[in-house]
Amino acid sequence: LGQYYAESTIKEYAAKYKVNSAFVIVQDPQNGNILAAASYPSKDGLSLPFQFTYEPGSTFKTMSAAAALDSGNVDMDSQFDMENNKWKVSGIIIKDHVASKKPILSLSEVMEVSSNIGAGKIAYNMGAKTLYSYLKKFGFGIKTNVDFLGESGGILREYTRWQPIDTAKAGYGYTVSVTGVQLVTAYSSLANDGILMQAHLIDKIKYANGEEESLAEPVKVRRVITSATAAKVKTLLENVVSKGTGMPARIKGYTVA
């Protein structure tokens, strides 16, 4: 049933917004099981959630915030100068799509308005080495080893090859490439109190002789961040939906992050 809704919904919204391609992937954060995965357009041998790599953009700001909070580089009271919407790094100007009306933004406000400048500063001040180490722990730059032949590992260059502008841009999802399954699994670790679970696509194999082989036993890969940090990040994401750019995702009667 979940797969049916995933496929019908993505087809509906792809047509509505006239996109060339799109995908949806749904995962259980507690055990890593992939509950639904759909691609648009639907083609034999093509599964965008596992094969397609792309720059994740603003969805990556959460990873930067989580890394900075967990490493102690920022706290929930940290504030960031918006530089009159012109922050210069390595001779390149970084701007926000919509300039902030406030000269200073809190960490929560940076997330709420999806500020490139704020996220870039979080990453820049944290440093390439620390950010890279957390991105690796979240599972980027390597295959998840989900049960899918042809899975891509994405692209995450060694931090020693980064320039200062690369570090800043990585903070808001550029200079790196990810797959849908990598990103959903990383987000699931936040929902799972900071523990990254092995992604599973196939629940079990049932053979002709009646024997069954389970392939989806829950496997804890590693703890990425502390449970306390995960709780803080969930609060930030809840604020994005309750009063920020994610307000269209609100669901009456539910808390959405």
Side-chain angles (χ1 to χ4, degrees), residues 100-111:
S100 173
K101 295 179 180 179
K102 299 173 63 176
I104 304 292
L105 294 183
S106 67
L107 176 60
S108 184
E109 289 171 329
V110 165
M111 298 297 290

Side-chain angles (χ1 to χ4, degrees), residues 130-150:
T130 300
L131 177 59
Y132 176 85
S133 68
Y134 274 93
L135 295 182
K136 292 292 285 187
K137 288 200 291 184
F138 272 119
F140 297 107
I142 188 171
K143 295 180 181 179
T144 66
N145 289 323
V146 69
D147 325 291
F148 187 89
L149 186 64

